[in-house]
Amino acid sequence: VFFIIWACIVLTTALCDYYSTDLAADQVFVTLTLHVSLIAIFSAVILCKAYGMVYVCRSLCIMIDVFCCDIVQTTQLQDVAHVWNLTQAVLRKASISVETSLLAL
């Protein structure tokens, strides 16, 4: 899905640049190639960063789901309290990392 969105962005940029230029044919090729390649590189970096954040957030959701399933199966609440503290610590660390990445985007 992310690759399809990225390809559409690059293709749309290339088409818009091609039809909106009033330069000679050789200048159009150089300008269009440079502009489209820069857009492709920078948008790919941003898209990879966003995919990484989605991957981390999805992993955290799965971690909470596993914890909830463990609560249902466990009868000792003392064990659950320690596991919850560990889960909460991991969530806190990951959220700080995702927060700085989101700020960079």
Side-chain angles (χ1 to χ4, degrees):
V1 174
F2 285 113
F3 178 74
I4 294 170
I5 293 171
W6 175 78
C8 289
I9 289 170
V10 172
L11 183 63
T12 304
T13 303
L15 290 175
C16 289
D17 283 351
Y18 179 74
Y19 288 116
S20 66
T21 57
D22 294 332
L23 302 172
D26 58 340
Q27 291 176 338
V28 169
F29 179 74
V30 172
T31 305
L32 184 65
T33 304
L34 180 64
H35 187 238
V36 170
S37 62
L38 288 175
I39 290 291
I41 290 169
F42 289 123
S43 64
V45 168
I46 290 171
L47 206 57
C48 288
K49 197 168 184 91
Y51 178 74
M53 286 193 313
V54 167
Y55 188 78
V56 169
C57 291
R58 180 67 185 137
S59 300
L60 294 174
C61 288
I62 291 171
M63 190 172 154
I64 292 173
D65 289 343
V66 168
F67 174 76
C68 291
C69 290
D70 286 345
I71 285 178
V72 172
Q73 296 174 355
T74 304
T75 58
Q76 299 293 328
L77 291 179
Q78 295 85 6
D79 300 335
V80 173
H82 178 68
V83 173
W84 173 247
N85 287 337
L86 292 175
T87 304
Q88 193 176 15
V90 170
L91 290 172
R92 188 176 297 119
K93 282 290 209 180
S95 67
I96 291 171
S97 298
V98 169
E99 180 184 24
T100 55
S101 295
L102 188 60
L103 183 64
L105 276 179

